[in-house]
Structures are given as structure tokens and as C-alpha cells.
Amino acid sequence: MGANNGKQYGSEGKGSSSISSDVSSSTDHTPTQAQKNVATSEDSDLSMRTLSTPSPALICPPSLPGFQNGRGSSTSSSSITGETVAMVHSPPPTRLTHPLIRLASRPQKEQASIERLPDQAMVQIFSFLPTNQLCRCARVCRRWYNLAWDPRLWRTIRLTGETINVDRALKVLTRRLCQDTPNVCLMLETVTVSGCRRLTDRGLYTIAQCCPELRRLEVSGCYNISNEAVFDVVSLCPNLEHLDVSGCSKVTCISLTREASIKLSPLHGKQISIRYLDMTDCFVLEDEGLHTIAAHCTQLTHLYLRRCVRLTDEGLRYLMVYCASIKELSVSDCRFVSDFGLREIAKLESRLRYLSIAHCGRVTDVGIRYVAKYCGKLRYLNARGCEGLTDHGVEYLAKNCAKLKSLDIGKCPLVSDTGLECLALNCFNLKRLSLKSCESITGQGLQIVAANCFDLQMLNVQDCEVSVEALRFVKRHCKRCVIEHTNPAFF
């Protein structure tokens, strides 16, 4: 189980804040007596919680990595085994009162050095701590306890791990964060729950009910959640912009709940503000489901449908009717997508910057010509495994998409040095080029590319019959280029 605590991260998923971990350090494996006396019952947890109660903590099995928070990371462990549960610890005392405890005398300048820092500075320092260290700080004194649970430190909750009881953890955390604003977490904007197989609809219902300001939700690999729970989240979190349900095989659609649809019927289909949607590995998604998604999520700009194997060209036609703002689209491994589907995708015109059609075996030069003709601002194209692509398609692409920066045409046996020459003479800004397993490529084509594309940073020629001299030529002309190859003589 892991969790992060920090500022909200960007579109690539960086930086975060998290929930509490076991307050034990990574080197202290013996639980304290207070930890042993903690009540594990959910009812007792709730009865203990007042405005002066301490933070809920997640007890992590020793075999699991600790939480990560901000820029640091550490591992916390406990001798408590079995199911991971949420617990509530007692608040720290203001001073040590045990008669047997004697505090060692210290110089006056040592005693109050950190206490002189203002609260704002302390909160800033806490924002860089890993979660288990933040919990340790919360047990030092009442002032630190209050600062460690400053809402600004809890804009993000991140949970990972297969054994964690995510539903209960989310319930305890959201209630703790709702103390100052009953029933709602106004500061929580990001929830990332990756690979937690024990997340169920109950956990998503908790998020939907308590987090109206949620902007980013990632539940990748949580295959026990269903459409109904997702509907609740998108209906009750109107600011949700980023949704990742990749690997959630039961999710077949993104839509409003029936109640929300009736209530907002005059504006039906325009109430979901999602811009980024990842449904990779949602195997049961079909054309009709994509139709519903497109009709409700009209503001989509990033859509990833990798390995949604039931989709066809008809589903892409629905998509283009409603979602005219898509900038990035992936239909990799959608084996029923053909040239007709690419003709629909070409309707995005200059808005399309990223397209992945890898292993779409029905795509040929015809489909590539459609995209190249109308999508002149394309920057990234992944056509690996499109065996119908030839030099003619590459030539048309190079002449119409001159600002192309990344191209993957690996496993396209009909592409030869002729296509590479056209690419090199038109796409001078090319930075990444993959030619893996292109049987017709030789060292001559590589030399032409290297002589014209000086900004090349990555070249993949694995399983290609190219000489050592050609590879050295590339290295001399493109000094920053990383070459991936299978020629043992070149190093």
C-alpha cells in the first residue's frame, strides 16, 4: 500500500498528497502499546472522532512498500499482519507527564529553534514529507498535529496495493477531512487508487458523496467497480476533468445517472466536463457504449481506447459527430478499425496532434492518406504493425505533415529506404523514429535520415539489417541520439 501527499500533479500524473500510513518508522518493527490498544471497530472509530481527535492511520503489512509523499519516499512497517484496515490513534499529549520520564537539559538555543517558525513555514516543510513521517510529526505535539492535518496538505489522496481495504480507508479519510466542512471535502481534488483490487462501488460512492470539488480520478486496474458507481461520480462531481478507468473491465459506458439526466434534461449530454478519458483494456466496450460516451462527454480532448477490441469504424463515426475537439486519440490493437475509421478520424483536421493506430491490421495507405491530407498539424503517429503501409503512404505523410516529431512504423515490412528518404527530406523536426523489424530498411536509408534530421533523439533499428558503419554515421551526425539496436558489433 502506498500513498502520496503533495500538490496536485499535471496531466502526466506527477506529484501528489496522500493518506496516513503507520506512524512507525521503517526501522521500528515493534508496535507501541498504544497501537496495540487501538479499537479496530468502525463504530468505535466514529464514536471517538471529535474536533480534537487524532488522525486516522492506515496500518501497512511489513511486506508492502510505504507511502510516498511529495518528493520524498520511505517505507513504513508494522508487526500487525493480515488485512489492511483504517484506524484512529489517540492525539499526542501536550507534554510528557509520566513521573519516571526525565527530560535531558539542553541549551536554550536548541530547545525552541524550530518552534520559532511560523505556521505557514511549517506547513510548507510538511508538504515535502512522506506520509509516515507526516504522521510522526502529527504525534509530536498538538500544534504539529493541527498543522499536519492542514487541508492544504490533502489535496490529493493516493492509494496503491492489492491488500489494502480501500473502501474503509476512503471512508475514514473523507470523514476526517470533513471535520471543518461537514459532509464535504472542499479541498480534495485528486484521488488516485491504482491496482487496488478491493476497491468496490462503495468506495466510489464515498468519493461521489463527499468530494464535490474532485477534478481527477484514477482507478486503473480496479476491476470490481461498475458503471453505476462511475455514473454517480461524474454526476455528483461536476468539475471532474480527468478520468482513468483503464483495466476496469466492468465499465462499458460513461454517462449521467438517470436522476441527473432527468433533472438536467434541457442540457442533457453537455453536463460532463471530462476532457481526459482513459478506457484502455475495457474489453467489453462496444460501439453503442462509445456512442453514449461521445454524446455525454462532448468536451473530450484526450481519449485512449487501447485494446478495446470490440470497437469498429461505426463507433469512431459516433465519436466524430459529438467530440470535435479531440487532440489525442489512441485505438491501438482495435483490430476492426480500418481505412473507413481513419476517414472519420480525419474529420478532426488540424486539431489532431496525436494518433495511435498500432496493430490495426486493416489500415493501409488509403487510411494514412486521409489522415495526412486533413490533419496537417499531426505531431505523433504510431502505426506499428500496420502491415498494409508502404513507401507511398510514408511519402504522402511526410509531405503533408512536415511538423511530425515522432513516428513509429515498426513491423511494416513494405517500408523501405525510399520511404525513409522522403521522410528525411520533409520532416526536419523529427525527434523519435522507430523502424523495429522493418525488413526492407538498410544502412543507406539511415544515413539519409541522419544527414537531414539533426535533432533526432531516439532511433530504434532493432532486428533490422543495418551495418555498423551506418550506425556510426548516425551517431556522428546526431550526437544526442539514443540508438536501440541488436548489432553486437556496435557499442
Side-chain angles (χ1 to χ4, degrees):
M1 173 189 68
N4 287 343
N5 185 345
K7 298 183 179 179
Q8 180 181 2
Y9 49 94
S11 63
E12 294 301 326
K14 301 141 177 118
S16 60
S17 55
S18 73
I19 67 168
S20 303
S21 72
D22 184 12
V23 293
S24 302
S25 68
S26 58
T27 58
D28 184 8
H29 297 280
T30 304
T32 64
Q33 186 63 32
Q35 287 173 328
K36 295 179 180 178
N37 295 335
V38 170
T40 59
S41 168
E42 182 178 351
D43 295 336
S44 61
D45 289 349
L46 298 180
S47 64
M48 290 173 60
R49 193 161 31 76
T50 65
L51 291 179
S52 62
T53 52
S55 62
L58 292 180
I59 305 302
C60 180
S63 61
L64 296 179
F67 297 126
Q68 298 177 350
N69 177 19
R71 299 179 182 177
S73 64
S74 62
T75 303
S76 62
S77 61
S78 169
S79 61
I80 300 176
T81 60
E83 179 184 277
T84 303
V85 296
M87 296 181 129
V88 179
H89 294 288
S90 299
T94 55
R95 62 173 62 93
L96 297 173
T97 58
H98 196 281
L100 298 180
I101 295 178
R102 296 291 183 268
L103 296 176
S105 61
R106 297 179 181 176
Q108 185 65 25
K109 62 179 181 180
E110 250 188 305
Q111 288 181 355
S113 57
I114 194 169
E115 291 300 330
R116 296 176 182 176
L117 292 176
D119 288 353
Q120 183 64 29
M122 294 291 293
V123 171
Q124 184 66 24
I125 293 173
F126 286 169
S127 69
F128 293 99
L129 293 178
T131 303
N132 66 319
Q133 295 298 330
L134 190 61
C135 291
R136 276 174 164 258
C137 292
R139 302 182 71 187
V140 171
C141 63
R142 289 187 181 275
R143 182 197 177 205
W144 282 32
Y145 169 80
N146 293 328
L147 293 177
W149 280 95
D150 188 299
R152 289 171 292 182
L153 299 176
W154 295 89
R155 288 192 172 95
T156 298
I157 289 178
R158 177 182 291 272
L159 297 171
T160 57
E162 296 184 0
T163 60
I164 178 175
N165 189 339
V166 183
D167 292 347
R168 187 174 182 188
L170 290 173
K171 183 177 182 179
V172 173
L173 280 172
T174 51
R175 289 192 177 183
R176 174 60 182 81
L177 295 173
C178 288
Q179 284 188 354
D180 295 331
T181 54
N183 302 323
V184 291
C185 303
L186 295 179
M187 297 298 293
L188 190 59
E189 296 180 349
T190 301
V191 174
T192 300
V193 185
S194 301
C196 296
R197 299 181 178 181
R198 297 182 63 182
L199 174 68
T200 66
D201 289 352
R202 183 179 301 176
L204 286 191
Y205 290 146
T206 300
I207 294 173
Q209 294 291 332
C210 300
C211 308
E213 298 299 320
L214 192 69
R215 295 181 179 275
R216 185 185 185 108
L217 176 63
E218 298 181 11
V219 289
S220 59
C222 303
Y223 53 77
N224 286 320
I225 63 175
S226 66
N227 287 338
E228 288 71 20
V230 175
F231 292 176
D232 273 330
V233 172
V234 298
S235 299
L236 298 177
C237 302
N239 297 321
L240 188 67
E241 296 180 349
H242 182 115
L243 179 61
D244 183 352
V245 291
S246 56
C248 301
S249 55
K250 294 182 180 179
V251 177
T252 62
C253 186
I254 307 295
S255 174
L256 295 169
T257 59
R258 180 176 302 178
E259 294 78 9
S261 297
I262 295 174
K263 183 178 179 180
L264 301 172
S265 56
L267 299 176
H268 181 65
K270 298 183 180 180
Q271 296 303 310
I272 300 181
S273 58
I274 293 177
R275 298 179 182 275
Y276 179 106
L277 178 60
D278 191 344
M279 298 191 70
T280 298
D281 292 323
C282 291
F283 305 113
V284 293
L285 175 64
E286 297 181 343
D287 292 338
E288 192 58 37
L290 186 57
H291 185 185
T292 304
I293 292 171
H296 285 80
C297 306
T298 57
Q299 301 180 42
L300 277 175
T301 58
H302 297 68
L303 179 60
Y304 305 95
L305 303 170
R306 306 179 186 96
R307 293 181 290 280
C308 294
V309 294
R310 299 187 182 185
L311 293 180
T312 69
D313 297 333
E314 186 69 11
L316 295 179
R317 186 179 69 83
Y318 293 141
L319 187 64
M320 297 307 126
V321 170
Y322 298 98
C323 303
S325 302
I326 292 180
K327 297 179 181 178
E328 296 192 7
L329 176 64
S330 175
V331 289
S332 298
D333 294 284
C334 297
R335 58 179 181 269
F336 294 120
V337 172
S338 68
D339 293 334
F340 293 101
L342 264 63
R343 184 177 64 179
E344 296 297 327
I345 293 174
K347 294 178 181 179
L348 294 172
E349 298 181 344
S350 61
R351 293 178 292 275
L352 187 64
R353 303 299 178 89
Y354 172 108
L355 177 62
S356 179
I357 51 174
H359 304 290
C360 293
R362 301 188 181 190
V363 171
T364 67
D365 289 342
V366 176
I368 296 297
R369 285 172 65 94
Y370 277 119
V371 172
K373 181 178 180 179
Y374 295 102
C375 305
K377 293 187 178 180
L378 193 66
R379 299 291 188 273
Y380 175 101
L381 176 64
N382 183 356
R384 173 176 293 193
C386 296
E387 298 182 355
L389 179 62
T390 70
D391 290 333
H392 297 292
V394 174
E395 179 182 359
Y396 206 85
L397 180 69
K399 291 181 177 179
N400 289 273
C401 301
K403 295 184 179 181
L404 201 64
K405 292 185 178 181
S406 179
L407 178 63
D408 188 342
I409 48 176
K411 297 184 179 180
C412 295
L414 301 180
V415 175
S416 68
D417 293 343
T418 304
L420 287 187
E421 182 177 356
C422 294
L423 192 66
L425 296 178
N426 292 277
C427 300
F428 304 109
N429 297 321
L430 199 64
K431 296 182 182 298
R432 301 175 65 87
L433 177 62
S434 177
L435 305 169
K436 182 178 180 180
S437 301
C438 288
E439 304 170 356
S440 303
I441 296 296
T442 68
Q444 182 179 356
L446 293 186
Q447 291 179 2
I448 296 175
V449 171
N452 291 274
C453 302
F454 302 108
D455 293 333
L456 198 64
Q457 297 176 4
M458 193 283 293
L459 176 64
N460 189 338
V461 288
Q462 293 176 336
D463 301 319
C464 294
E465 295 295 331
V466 293
S467 63
V468 175
E469 290 74 17
L471 296 177
R472 290 175 179 169
F473 185 92
V474 174
K475 198 63 179 177
R476 283 198 304 270
H477 286 75
C478 305
K479 299 186 181 300
R480 295 186 298 170
C481 183
V482 176
I483 304 176
E484 299 180 22
H485 62 91
T486 51
N487 192 328
F490 178 75
F491 53 90

